Amino acid sequence: MTRLLRSPLLHFLVLGIALYLAQPWLREDATSTRNFQIKIDAERLIELERGFLQQAGRRPLPEDVDRMIETEADEEILYREAVARGLLERDGGVQTRLIQKMLFLEGETELKDAPGLLARAVELGLHQKDVVVRRILVQKMKLLGSALASAQEPSDEEIERSYRELAESLRSPDRLTLAHTFLNRDERGANLDTQAADLLAMLRNEEIGSKEGPRRGDPFPLGHYLEHRSQHDLERTFGARFGESAFALGMGEWTGPIASAYGAHLIFISERTPGEVPPLTRVANKLRLQLEEQRRDANLNILLAELRTQYRVVVERIPEPIDALYSQEPG
């Protein structure tokens, strides 16, 4: 019996029953304390602008600030709607987190009154202040608001139409098979361009093939022979614009040079493989998921547009010069 009473499984069962019994109280509390005004104070506005500065590397423009305010308000609307619609009371993970926080605050080590702990946690607003709880509830509200009705599920005909419309975007990239003769910038220095031109003339005049040509240059740590590489592949290896330049070259002879982050490269293209549009059977599931995502986004946007009409957003403008506020430490 002692072992049974100490069982974690029993504790979770008791907690689940207690949370179920607490649901009517939570529903009543969420309904009675609804607030349809959202206030974004100057301190929060500065936090948003500082965050934008850190991510974008520049001060936000007025339109950037408007977008941040809208996003902040939408997140708050979704959070409040999640609470009002009972998502808090139906998420055991959220409730367990709040109870654990309350146990910590009250210095308790044993779970004796789960509904009471949960009620006090909500009364103290712990669900409002906990970033994780808010994030979970917002995400749950987004899932609820974006759910597809059965009539919105993409049909085979819609998938086929999407396939025809997106055929070119589905096409795989063209690819090159090439060899390159490398001249190291660090070793060649100021003579790099002259030596590259001389080496190119020699390779052509002596009709040196793609296998022998790379031996006339410098070692290259990533290899001298590249098979079936796309423009993106080449630029990932050699740097920006290298792939674009390589794809503009002719085939069957030494050409170049093309500059890279490492030096100069003389190119011999032996094969050019055009990209292909994959068959519908290979991409049908991908297209289905894309259509579903578009419709979920549309559903959520419709819901948000409706909810915004019920809320009033009040923005507290910054009362002092922006430079002074930016120079303050957060918090």
Side-chain angles (χ1 to χ4, degrees):
M1 180 62 69
T2 301
R3 181 179 302 175
L4 178 62
L5 292 175
R6 294 178 178 175
S7 169
L9 181 60
L10 178 61
H11 292 172
F12 278 111
L13 178 61
V14 172
L15 176 60
I17 295 173
L19 293 177
Y20 176 79
L21 295 174
Q23 286 183 12
W25 179 89
L26 286 171
R27 187 182 297 112
E28 180 181 354
D29 177 79
T31 304
S32 62
T33 59
R34 293 210 59 183
N35 179 5
F36 290 96
Q37 177 173 294
I38 296 172
K39 182 177 179 180
I40 301 176
D41 59 27
E43 182 179 358
R44 179 56 181 157
L45 192 56
I46 289 300
E47 288 179 4
L48 293 173
E49 295 193 19
R50 283 199 186 106
F52 184 96
L53 177 63
Q54 291 174 353
Q55 292 184 3
R58 64 173 176 83
R59 297 281 182 85
L61 300 173
E63 53 266 32
D64 298 320
V65 175
D66 289 342
R67 281 193 296 270
M68 288 188 291
I69 291 173
E70 181 178 288
T71 300
E72 181 81 359
D74 285 347
E75 292 284 306
E76 181 65 21
I77 289 172
L78 290 171
Y79 165 74
R80 293 188 189 182
E81 288 298 316
V83 174
R85 299 185 187 204
L87 301 188
L88 170 61
E89 67 196 53
R90 296 201 294 270
D91 192 293
V94 167
Q95 294 181 13
T96 299
R97 180 177 176 85
L98 293 176
I99 288 172
Q100 289 174 342
K101 290 171 74 76
M102 204 64 206
L103 283 171
F104 175 78
L105 288 176
E106 296 187 352
E108 298 290 340
T109 57
E110 295 184 7
L111 179 62
K112 298 178 181 179
D113 180 18
L117 288 168
L118 184 58
R120 292 196 293 278
V122 174
E123 184 179 356
L124 291 174
L126 298 187
H127 61 303
Q128 298 174 345
K129 302 171 185 177
D130 190 297
V131 175
V132 174
V133 169
R134 292 180 68 92
R135 187 177 298 128
I136 292 173
L137 292 178
V138 167
Q139 184 59 32
K140 281 185 170 291
M141 190 62 203
K142 285 181 177 180
L143 291 174
L144 178 64
S146 63
L148 296 180
S150 58
Q152 292 182 296
E153 295 290 343
S155 66
D156 292 341
E157 292 76 13
E158 289 172 325
I159 293 174
E160 290 178 9
R161 183 165 60 249
S162 178
Y163 175 73
R164 292 192 297 270
E165 294 172 351
L166 299 176
E168 285 305 310
S169 65
L170 295 171
R171 183 182 298 277
S172 62
D174 297 346
R175 297 182 180 275
L176 297 179
T177 294
L178 60 87
H180 70 103
T181 300
F182 174 59
L183 291 88
N184 191 311
R185 176 179 289 106
D186 293 337
E187 295 185 6
R188 308 276 178 164
N191 297 320
L192 176 64
D193 292 340
T194 300
Q195 293 181 9
D198 292 343
L199 182 55
L200 176 61
M202 185 269 289
L203 293 173
R204 286 178 169 178
N205 293 336
E206 298 184 15
E207 297 183 351
I208 295 175
S210 60
K211 292 185 178 180
E212 174 64 23
R215 300 175 187 173
R216 306 297 179 92
D218 300 324
F220 189 72
L222 302 179
H224 293 89
Y225 305 96
L226 307 172
E227 295 184 350
H228 306 297
R229 302 299 175 91
S230 67
Q231 178 175 324
H232 176 72
D233 294 335
L234 293 174
E235 293 181 353
R236 186 172 54 187
T237 300
F238 296 98
R241 305 190 68 83
F242 188 97
E244 180 182 353
S245 299
F247 270 83
L249 300 176
M251 290 180 56
E253 63 176 350
W254 287 104
T255 54
I258 299 178
S260 76
Y262 310 101
H265 305 258
L266 306 176
I267 309 295
F268 190 103
I269 299 174
S270 57
E271 182 181 355
R272 186 186 297 266
T273 307
E276 297 180 348
V277 177
L280 174 59
T281 53
R282 191 187 305 170
V283 296
N285 190 54
K286 175 183 177 180
L287 294 173
R288 181 187 302 277
L289 293 175
Q290 288 178 349
L291 287 172
E292 289 178 351
E293 183 177 3
Q294 291 169 5
R295 292 171 186 182
R296 287 194 181 94
D297 290 343
N299 287 350
L300 182 58
N301 288 335
I302 291 171
L303 174 64
L304 272 171
E306 179 184 347
L307 292 175
R308 288 182 191 123
T309 64
Q310 303 175 25
Y311 286 83
R312 177 170 173 262
V313 180
V314 178
V315 180
E316 181 183 350
R317 293 303 172 180
I318 301 166
E320 55 185 293
I322 187 70
D323 288 334
L325 285 168
Y326 268 112
S327 64
Q328 295 174 8
E329 291 296 326

